[in-house]
Structures are given as C-alpha cells and as structure tokens.
Amino acid sequence: MKVLFVVTSHDELGNTGKKTGFWVEEFAAPYYALKDAGFDIVVATPKGGQAPIDPKSEDPDAQTPATERYYNDKEVQQIIADTQKLSEQKAEDFDAVFYPGGHGPLWDLANDEDSQRLILDFYNSSKPVAAVCHAPGVFKNIKLENGDPLVKGKKVTGFSNTEEEAVQLTGVVPFLVEDELNNAGGKYSKTDDWGVHVVQDGLLITGQNPASSESAAEKLMAALKNKTS
C-alpha cells in the first residue's frame, strides 16, 4: 500500500525574522511507523525539492527515538531534500494521505489549491486523510460538493489555543487551528497540553500535537487494514 506525505515548503515564521517549516517528530514518527509496516511512501511539497525543517523541532527537548533515527538516516534525509511536487500527485495513485505539522502549513498548505483538490479527491474516493498538530489547519478552506466545510459535524482535533499560547506564537500565526476547526463547524476536542490525543471520524484522522503523531499513524494503518480485510 502507498501513502502520500504532504509537507510544507514555507520557512518564514511570520514577520519575526525567524524560520519555521515542518516538525521533525511529526514527520519521522509516522514515516517510520508506516515504513516499518511495509508501506510505500512518497513525500511531496508545494514547491518540490528541499522541505524546510522547523529549527525549534531540533531542540534537545523535542527529540524522540524517531527523530534520532531520522538524524542518522541519510536515505530519508535525501527524500526530504528532494521532495516531489505536490501539483504532480494524484489521489488515485495512493491509498491514503498524511499531513505532518509544524507552523509552516498554516501559511502555504492551508491556502494551496493543489492540496485542497487532493484532500477532496482522497476523501471522495473513500481514502483516509490524516493530519497532525498544525496540519489540520489545512482543512479550513475545503468545502464538499454540497458547499459544507469538510470538517462540519465531524470530530476533529489539532494544535490547541493553549498550546499556541504556551509557545508564544498566538500573535504570529495567520490563524489558530482550534478556532478555525470550530469556525468550520468541526466538533473540536482536546486533551491536556502536550498530551496524546487522536480523533477519528470516518475517513478523517487528526492528532492534537507532536506527541500524537505516532498514534495518528497507527490509526491510519488500522483504517487501511480495515478497508482491505
């Protein structure tokens, strides 16, 4: 089975002069969980080529066994250095799609028409769509054929307002994930800051924060196994 990972190309943290990108743990933990289970994975970004890493995700307190594995894995680092173009990907070529977070997606993927088209194609083809931490923000502008927001009436989670306050970026980000999911009619829930919280509603799988990334991948694998059994 084949899974598409969609990663941000955006590396500017608003007007702060600091860098952002994708969060290493939120890519590495799901990537290795799926890879070790025998899944084929393609990584794509809006611009193609090097995907920017959020420097904060390289801090010592953000490290996990999955990130340590990533830093020692030249093959996967090369995949991140040479990602495919998002515009060239088709849902029909994959069994599911996974969006790792980091703050970057709030600026590019949340407004990316190729991303929005792909998510709808996966969803309308009854293929699972998973996103973790800030990445559920990519759903904010997606509407179904009947005009309803994709997340309307669905159980969802994502990086909480209190977690954004804790990292002191509430005034920097273009929008708050929790607010936008609620504004779109989603049934948003959360656990304590930095706790593991993953929600599945049909084809939609969302995780609250970096700690939830591996559990989100496990739910995605379970959903795919249920489809084939």
Side-chain angles (χ1 to χ4, degrees), residues 118-141:
L118 266 174
I119 288 169
L120 277 175
D121 286 350
F122 274 97
Y123 190 83
N124 291 331
S125 304
S126 298
K127 294 177 177 180
V129 175
V132 70
C133 198
H134 286 88
V138 305
F139 302 141
K140 82 181 189 85
N141 294 321

Short mmCIF file of all heavy atoms in Angstrom, two decimals, residues 118-141:
data_model
loop_
_atom_site.label_atom_id
_atom_site.label_comp_id
_atom_site.label_asym_id
_atom_site.label_seq_id
_atom_site.Cartn_x
_atom_site.Cartn_y
_atom_site.Cartn_z
N LEU A 118 -6.48 17.65 -3.73
CA LEU A 118 -6.05 16.30 -3.37
C LEU A 118 -6.84 15.75 -2.19
O LEU A 118 -7.29 14.60 -2.22
CB LEU A 118 -4.56 16.29 -3.01
CG LEU A 118 -3.58 15.96 -4.11
CD1 LEU A 118 -2.16 16.16 -3.61
CD2 LEU A 118 -3.76 14.52 -4.61
N ILE A 119 -7.00 16.58 -1.16
CA ILE A 119 -7.73 16.11 0.03
C ILE A 119 -9.16 15.72 -0.35
O ILE A 119 -9.66 14.67 0.07
CB ILE A 119 -7.73 17.20 1.12
CG1 ILE A 119 -6.33 17.30 1.74
CG2 ILE A 119 -8.76 16.89 2.20
CD1 ILE A 119 -6.12 18.49 2.64
N LEU A 120 -9.81 16.54 -1.16
CA LEU A 120 -11.16 16.20 -1.61
C LEU A 120 -11.18 14.93 -2.45
O LEU A 120 -12.08 14.10 -2.32
CB LEU A 120 -11.76 17.35 -2.41
CG LEU A 120 -12.39 18.48 -1.60
CD1 LEU A 120 -12.84 19.60 -2.52
CD2 LEU A 120 -13.57 17.97 -0.76
N ASP A 121 -10.17 14.77 -3.31
CA ASP A 121 -10.10 13.55 -4.13
C ASP A 121 -9.91 12.31 -3.27
O ASP A 121 -10.55 11.28 -3.51
CB ASP A 121 -8.94 13.66 -5.14
CG ASP A 121 -9.25 14.61 -6.29
OD1 ASP A 121 -10.43 15.04 -6.41
OD2 ASP A 121 -8.32 14.93 -7.06
N PHE A 122 -9.04 12.40 -2.27
CA PHE A 122 -8.87 11.26 -1.35
C PHE A 122 -10.18 10.99 -0.63
O PHE A 122 -10.65 9.84 -0.57
CB PHE A 122 -7.77 11.57 -0.31
CG PHE A 122 -6.38 11.23 -0.77
CD1 PHE A 122 -5.56 12.20 -1.30
CD2 PHE A 122 -5.88 9.94 -0.66
CE1 PHE A 122 -4.27 11.91 -1.72
CE2 PHE A 122 -4.61 9.62 -1.07
CZ PHE A 122 -3.79 10.60 -1.60
N TYR A 123 -10.78 12.03 -0.08
CA TYR A 123 -11.99 11.88 0.72
C TYR A 123 -13.14 11.31 -0.12
O TYR A 123 -13.84 10.38 0.30
CB TYR A 123 -12.37 13.23 1.32
CG TYR A 123 -13.47 13.13 2.36
CD1 TYR A 123 -13.17 12.77 3.67
CD2 TYR A 123 -14.79 13.38 2.02
CE1 TYR A 123 -14.17 12.67 4.62
CE2 TYR A 123 -15.80 13.27 2.97
CZ TYR A 123 -15.49 12.92 4.26
OH TYR A 123 -16.47 12.80 5.19
N ASN A 124 -13.32 11.86 -1.32
CA ASN A 124 -14.42 11.41 -2.18
C ASN A 124 -14.18 10.02 -2.76
O ASN A 124 -15.11 9.37 -3.24
CB ASN A 124 -14.63 12.41 -3.32
CG ASN A 124 -15.21 13.73 -2.82
OD1 ASN A 124 -15.92 13.76 -1.82
ND2 ASN A 124 -14.91 14.82 -3.52
N SER A 125 -12.93 9.56 -2.69
CA SER A 125 -12.59 8.20 -3.14
C SER A 125 -12.58 7.22 -1.97
O SER A 125 -12.09 6.09 -2.11
CB SER A 125 -11.22 8.18 -3.82
OG SER A 125 -11.17 9.10 -4.88
N SER A 126 -13.09 7.65 -0.82
CA SER A 126 -13.15 6.82 0.39
C SER A 126 -11.76 6.37 0.85
O SER A 126 -11.57 5.24 1.30
CB SER A 126 -14.04 5.59 0.18
OG SER A 126 -15.35 6.00 -0.10
N LYS A 127 -10.80 7.29 0.73
CA LYS A 127 -9.43 7.02 1.20
C LYS A 127 -9.13 7.91 2.40
O LYS A 127 -9.46 9.09 2.40
CB LYS A 127 -8.42 7.29 0.08
CG LYS A 127 -8.58 6.32 -1.10
CD LYS A 127 -7.62 6.67 -2.24
CE LYS A 127 -7.74 5.65 -3.37
NZ LYS A 127 -6.83 5.97 -4.49
N PRO A 128 -8.48 7.34 3.44
CA PRO A 128 -8.25 8.10 4.67
C PRO A 128 -7.37 9.33 4.48
O PRO A 128 -6.42 9.32 3.68
CB PRO A 128 -7.54 7.08 5.59
CG PRO A 128 -7.91 5.75 5.04
CD PRO A 128 -8.05 5.93 3.57
N VAL A 129 -7.70 10.37 5.24
CA VAL A 129 -6.96 11.63 5.25
C VAL A 129 -6.55 11.88 6.70
O VAL A 129 -7.41 12.01 7.58
CB VAL A 129 -7.83 12.79 4.74
CG1 VAL A 129 -7.08 14.11 4.87
CG2 VAL A 129 -8.28 12.55 3.31
N ALA A 130 -5.23 11.97 6.96
CA ALA A 130 -4.73 12.17 8.32
C ALA A 130 -3.89 13.43 8.40
O ALA A 130 -3.17 13.77 7.46
CB ALA A 130 -3.91 10.96 8.77
N ALA A 131 -4.00 14.14 9.53
CA ALA A 131 -3.22 15.36 9.74
C ALA A 131 -2.96 15.52 11.23
O ALA A 131 -3.82 15.21 12.05
CB ALA A 131 -3.97 16.57 9.20
N VAL A 132 -1.78 16.05 11.57
CA VAL A 132 -1.41 16.14 12.98
C VAL A 132 -0.90 17.55 13.33
O VAL A 132 -0.27 18.21 12.51
CB VAL A 132 -0.38 15.05 13.34
CG1 VAL A 132 0.96 15.32 12.70
CG2 VAL A 132 -0.24 14.87 14.83
N CYS A 133 -1.23 17.98 14.54
CA CYS A 133 -0.76 19.22 15.16
C CYS A 133 -1.28 20.46 14.42
O CYS A 133 -2.46 20.74 14.46
CB CYS A 133 0.76 19.21 15.27
SG CYS A 133 1.41 20.40 16.45
N HIS A 134 -0.43 21.22 13.73
CA HIS A 134 -0.91 22.37 12.97
C HIS A 134 -1.52 21.97 11.63
O HIS A 134 -2.27 22.75 11.03
CB HIS A 134 0.23 23.37 12.72
CG HIS A 134 0.60 24.15 13.94
ND1 HIS A 134 1.54 23.70 14.85
CD2 HIS A 134 0.16 25.34 14.41
CE1 HIS A 134 1.66 24.59 15.83
NE2 HIS A 134 0.84 25.59 15.60
N ALA A 135 -1.20 20.78 11.15
CA ALA A 135 -1.66 20.39 9.82
C ALA A 135 -3.18 20.30 9.66
O ALA A 135 -3.67 20.53 8.55
CB ALA A 135 -1.01 19.07 9.40
N PRO A 136 -3.98 20.00 10.69
CA PRO A 136 -5.43 20.06 10.48
C PRO A 136 -5.91 21.45 10.03
O PRO A 136 -7.01 21.58 9.50
CB PRO A 136 -6.00 19.68 11.85
CG PRO A 136 -4.98 18.75 12.42
CD PRO A 136 -3.66 19.35 11.99
N GLY A 137 -5.07 22.46 10.20
CA GLY A 137 -5.40 23.79 9.68
C GLY A 137 -5.53 23.81 8.17
O GLY A 137 -6.15 24.73 7.61
N VAL A 138 -4.99 22.80 7.49
CA VAL A 138 -5.09 22.76 6.02
C VAL A 138 -6.53 22.51 5.58
O VAL A 138 -6.86 22.71 4.41
CB VAL A 138 -4.15 21.71 5.38
CG1 VAL A 138 -2.72 21.93 5.82
CG2 VAL A 138 -4.60 20.28 5.66
N PHE A 139 -7.39 22.07 6.50
CA PHE A 139 -8.78 21.78 6.13
C PHE A 139 -9.66 23.04 6.10
O PHE A 139 -10.80 22.98 5.67
CB PHE A 139 -9.41 20.79 7.13
CG PHE A 139 -8.69 19.48 7.23
CD1 PHE A 139 -8.53 18.84 8.46
CD2 PHE A 139 -8.16 18.86 6.11
CE1 PHE A 139 -7.88 17.63 8.57
CE2 PHE A 139 -7.50 17.64 6.20
CZ PHE A 139 -7.36 17.02 7.44
N LYS A 140 -9.14 24.17 6.55
CA LYS A 140 -10.01 25.31 6.87
C LYS A 140 -10.79 25.86 5.68
O LYS A 140 -11.88 26.37 5.84
CB LYS A 140 -9.25 26.41 7.59
CG LYS A 140 -8.45 27.36 6.73
CD LYS A 140 -7.73 28.37 7.62
CE LYS A 140 -7.09 29.47 6.81
NZ LYS A 140 -7.98 30.57 6.48
N ASN A 141 -10.24 25.78 4.47
CA ASN A 141 -10.93 26.32 3.30
C ASN A 141 -11.54 25.26 2.39
O ASN A 141 -11.99 25.57 1.29
CB ASN A 141 -9.95 27.17 2.47
CG ASN A 141 -9.50 28.42 3.21
OD1 ASN A 141 -10.29 29.05 3.90
ND2 ASN A 141 -8.23 28.76 3.09
#
